[in-house]
Amino acid sequence: MTAATTDQPRWTRKDLLTLAELSREEILHVLDTAQGFQEVSTRSVKKVPALRGRVVVNMFFEDSTRTRMSFELAAQRLSADVVDFAEKMSSTQKGETLLDTARNIEAMGVDIMVLRHPAAGAALHLARNVKCCVVNAGDGQHAHPTQGLLDLFTIRERKGRIEGLNVAIVGDIVHSRVARSDLRGLQKLGAKVTLVGPATLVPKTFEALGARVTHDFDAILPEMDVVNMLRIQKERMTDSGFPSVREYTRLFGMNRERLKRCQPDVLIMHPGPVNRGIELAADVADGEHSSILRQVTNGLAVRMAVLFLCQQANMSPERED
Ligand code: CP
């Protein structure tokens, strides 16, 4: 490698919108940066001054526990000021558009907007129209890039690698922004992804994205290093997508019996919130193979990395527009 290439900044984006647009090197750079930030959460004073004087606004137009709190804590641990935009008490209720809302917030000197919105493309729309950083915290069924990154981080932490692993993503793929972000990220880092679920929720058209599609969960279990169970998203379905919840659980739920068919060191993941007893039996969710709470812990370090890298890039004269 020449001196010229080593001098190139490894992250030049002011926004994080999808994993599809990131290179393998950019993804690895976020994961490595997150690794460095992980130690901050173990200190007695859980703070570093990386974003001191900067302002982060959390703009959530959908319910959230993990992502909202994780971004808030991540910004606080970087010493940023954090403002929570309360949609229900905002002038969006009087008809103000998302973009007008964002421009008014930006006019108050905000540096980073973290946006969760039910419309796919909402974060991209903002990013193209504001100068501050925009981080996508989930847009409709399109993308949830920080969930994808924290899932990659957790797999790498637990398995020591991602390249060559067999990863199943199970459930409501068609409605899932997590599945789309995980698929893109895993493929870029060299994992082999199998999408599993009923044909109504996992159509064969997903094969065009380079994934294997199957409707037979039991058949693929012994091959898998990682099984990522998705939530059944009743709020996004116009019809149920499967005959009954009991039928879904019988065919696609992860339970102790199915766990016995898996490799002894299989990693069971779930982005949360979990429908206990539907996609995941409670004893598996709380069992030794589960990484559910570790994913949440890792999400904090990953979001610190994303906030830090985007803000740094936005201050750099070499940044991408
Ligand atoms: N995994 C996830 O996005 O959870 P929340 O909806 O609680 O943020």
Side-chain angles (χ1 to χ4, degrees):
M1 192 180 280
T2 65
T5 54
T6 51
D7 287 346
Q8 294 296 314
R10 283 178 288 172
W11 184 272
T12 56
R13 298 173 186 275
K14 81 170 181 74
D15 311 301
L16 175 65
L17 304 176
T18 71
L19 293 194
E21 68 188 355
L22 302 189
S23 67
R24 170 189 166 84
E25 289 67 34
E26 285 174 304
I27 292 174
L28 288 172
H29 187 53
V30 179
L31 301 188
D32 292 344
T33 306
Q35 190 108 42
F37 278 128
Q38 219 177 15
E39 169 268 333
V40 175
S41 296
T42 65
R43 296 182 188 176
S44 56
V45 178
K46 299 179 174 60
K47 263 192 196 297
V48 288
L51 291 188
R52 190 162 56 202
R54 302 288 162 194
V55 182
V56 177
V57 60
N58 255 346
M59 301 170 67
F60 277 62
F61 291 79
E62 270 183 7
D63 296 341
S64 167
T65 297
R66 281 147 288 271
T67 314
R68 177 196 281 266
M69 284 201 64
S70 183
F71 269 112
E72 186 164 342
L73 286 169
Q76 287 174 357
R77 285 183 192 181
L78 296 170
S79 304
D81 295 324
V82 190
V83 181
D84 196 30
F85 167 81
E87 185 217 349
K88 294 282 185 300
M89 290 191 293
S90 77
S91 291
T92 58
Q93 303 294 322
K94 301 175 197 164
E96 189 167 45
T97 66
L98 174 64
L99 187 52
D100 279 338
T101 301
R103 283 182 171 148
N104 278 272
I105 290 173
E106 186 175 41
M108 296 181 220
V110 162
D111 297 286
I112 305 176
M113 292 178 183
V114 177
L115 179 70
R116 172 169 286 190
H117 200 279
L124 173 64
H125 180 55
L126 274 203
R128 284 184 173 160
N129 287 286
V130 295
K131 290 191 173 61
C132 68
C133 306
V134 175
V135 178
N136 185 3
D139 60 333
Q141 297 172 18
H142 173 230
H144 193 348
T146 56
Q147 181 71 45
L149 289 166
L150 75 89
D151 287 345
L152 293 173
F153 187 96
T154 304
I155 294 170
R156 190 174 77 163
E157 178 185 67
R158 288 285 286 262
K159 294 287 182 186
R161 67 188 169 102
I162 293 175
E163 181 97 38
L165 291 181
N166 278 308
V167 181
I169 307 177
V170 185
D172 183 0
I173 307 293
V174 80
H175 296 100
S176 175
R177 56 193 175 209
V178 175
R180 286 174 178 80
S181 289
D182 280 356
L183 174 62
R184 292 299 196 186
L186 285 162
Q187 286 174 328
K188 288 189 185 214
L189 298 194
K192 290 170 271 179
V193 180
T194 303
L195 303 175
V196 189
T200 44
L201 299 181
V202 194
K204 285 278 183 190
T205 49
F206 275 90
E207 286 176 348
L209 299 178
R212 174 165 69 149
V213 169
T214 180
H215 313 302
D216 188 344
F217 191 23
D218 287 313
I220 56 101
L221 280 174
E223 302 163 38
M224 293 299 139
D225 300 292
V226 179
V227 180
N228 192 3
M229 304 299 299
L230 299 181
R231 180 174 68 92
I232 288 300
Q233 301 191 49
K234 297 180 196 111
E235 75 277 17
R236 291 196 201 280
M237 293 184 196
T238 46
D239 55 48
S240 70
F242 44 86
S244 71
V245 169
R246 183 183 297 192
E247 182 75 351
Y248 179 87
T249 301
R250 188 176 68 77
L251 292 171
F252 299 106
M254 176 56 82
N255 53 33
R256 278 278 151 202
E257 283 313 302
R258 287 211 161 96
L259 202 50
K260 286 184 197 153
R261 297 178 57 81
C262 296
Q263 295 177 16
D265 61 347
V266 68
L267 184 64
I268 306 292
M269 306 181 78
H270 193 300
V274 176
N275 292 310
R276 282 176 179 256
I278 298 180
E279 66 265 9
L280 201 51
D283 58 349
V284 181
D286 301 330
E288 70 278 16
H289 294 275
S290 167
S291 64
I292 295 173
L293 294 179
R294 189 64 191 167
Q295 288 167 257
V296 176
T297 301
N298 289 339
L300 204 49
V302 164
R303 289 177 176 121
M304 287 171 78
V306 168
L307 294 173
F308 173 71
L309 291 170
C310 288
Q311 175 58 27
Q312 224 186 19
N314 207 20
M315 292 167 64
S316 159
E318 297 167 59
R319 82 165 170 82
E320 262 186 21
D321 276 312

